[in-house]
Amino acid sequence: KFNTHYHYKIAPMAANIESTKNIEFDYLNSLGQPTIWPIYIDSGLEKIASADFSPEIKEFLSTFIPNKKYHYLLMNPLGAGEFWGSNINADYFPEKELMENHHTFVSHGKFFKHHRNKAKKGDPFYGEPIFSCYNPRMHRVEIIVRFLKGSDRELQSHIDNGSDIRISMGAAVKYDICSICGNRAKTPKDYCVHIRTQKNKILPDGRKVYMINIRPVFFDISYVIIPADKTARVLYKIASAPWNTKE
């Protein structure tokens, strides 16, 4: 068993009153998975109280040799609509589409800020995804993005300080489908009345109004202040993996 110590104030309004809480938990959970995965970062060891990394992420990291010019960031850009619902823009990505198309983050994606994502027209980008997978346990896409150190002062500061970095993806689709009437829209001009006026509304019969996205090509992963998917963020900064036998 691990003995994990949490130190916190139980009476913040009263001076000098503190308490220490000790929590014990098994090394393996009920599925036989470790409850802590250690990841080495640039300064010390970060212990991660989660066994929810996908096997593909672990396998990739087991042979991964980082370049010192980059920070490597593990991100979860979006989850499957069947489990996480539609985002605040009423975009819904079926699990099947994420399983089949997550690789486009690597083949087409760049790391931008605030969806200024026209790289060919001069919008700056600060890195790119180098690995992607679909995590069936968490029903989400996970990607590893390399960020060129010092390429953006704001992002570098957030990484150095361990701040909560919110992200948002951008995808191109040939059309989306209304969840209510099945209308296929190639442009906003083609939207039905449901999508034009009732995005994310729940109708009296219990159905929710959203846009089902088919065959997405993920070309943009952006640092943002307010993400469309509230769960999307940088999970961890990775420098190297403890199971990398080449180090």
Side-chain angles (χ1 to χ4, degrees):
K1 291 185 176 181
F2 285 94
N3 190 13
T4 301
H5 300 274
Y6 291 86
H7 192 64
Y8 63 100
K9 293 182 179 180
I10 60 172
M13 299 301 294
N16 301 320
I17 300 178
E18 297 184 345
S19 177
T20 298
K21 182 178 181 180
N22 297 323
I23 298 177
E24 291 189 357
F25 50 92
D26 291 332
Y27 170 63
L28 298 177
N29 63 19
S30 60
L31 299 175
Q33 300 168 320
T35 53
I36 289 183
W37 278 99
I39 285 187
Y40 290 94
I41 58 177
D42 288 344
S43 57
L45 175 68
E46 179 177 308
K47 289 187 176 179
I48 301 167
S50 173
D52 290 325
F53 286 119
S54 67
E56 290 85 357
I57 289 286
K58 298 173 189 175
E59 182 179 359
F60 175 80
L61 292 176
S62 69
T63 58
F64 175 62
I65 300 176
N67 185 320
K68 292 183 179 180
K69 295 192 303 182
Y70 297 97
H71 291 302
Y72 296 89
L73 309 173
L74 175 62
M75 304 180 180
N76 65 306
L78 75 166
E82 294 92 333
F83 299 88
W84 297 94
S86 55
N87 64 25
I88 62 174
N89 295 327
D91 282 311
Y92 177 106
F93 291 85
E95 183 169 47
K96 176 178 179 292
E97 299 299 327
L98 297 184
M99 294 175 69
E100 294 179 353
N101 297 287
H102 65 77
H103 68 275
T104 60
F105 274 110
V106 177
S107 61
H108 291 74
K110 302 291 184 185
F111 187 26
F112 297 100
K113 289 179 67 177
H114 308 299
H115 293 303
R116 299 188 187 101
N117 54 26
K118 304 296 188 293
K120 291 183 179 180
K121 294 184 178 180
D123 287 341
F125 63 92
Y126 310 96
E128 53 276 314
I130 61 171
F131 182 80
S132 73
C133 66
Y134 184 77
N135 186 333
R137 177 178 172 83
M138 296 300 294
H139 304 286
R140 69 188 183 195
V141 174
E142 296 173 352
I143 61 176
I144 294 177
V145 173
R146 68 179 186 180
F147 165 75
L148 182 62
K149 292 180 179 178
S151 59
D152 182 81
R153 183 178 299 178
E154 180 185 17
L155 277 169
Q156 185 67 61
S157 176
H158 286 322
I159 292 170
D160 291 343
N161 294 328
S163 304
D164 183 19
I165 302 174
R166 304 298 181 92
I167 58 171
S168 179
M169 64 81 207
V173 296
K174 291 185 177 181
Y175 59 87
D176 54 44
I177 303 172
C178 173
S179 63
I180 303 302
C181 68
N183 177 66
R184 296 189 177 193
K186 293 183 178 181
T187 71
K189 294 180 180 179
D190 301 323
Y191 285 154
C192 63
V193 64
H194 305 107
I195 301 303
R196 287 201 308 268
T197 65
Q198 296 177 295
K199 285 183 180 179
N200 277 332
K201 299 294 184 181
I202 299 177
L203 303 183
D205 62 5
R207 291 181 298 165
K208 186 177 181 180
V209 180
Y210 51 79
M211 298 171 287
I212 303 169
N213 290 279
I214 305 299
R215 291 190 289 279
V217 175
F218 297 104
F219 66 93
D220 170 9
I221 186 70
S222 282
Y223 159 70
V224 296
I225 303 300
I226 302 176
D229 183 333
K230 295 300 184 181
T231 69
R233 58 182 20 90
V234 173
L235 298 174
Y236 306 106
K237 181 178 74 172
I238 301 169
S240 60
W243 48 83
N244 189 346
T245 58
K246 294 185 178 181
E247 295 187 349

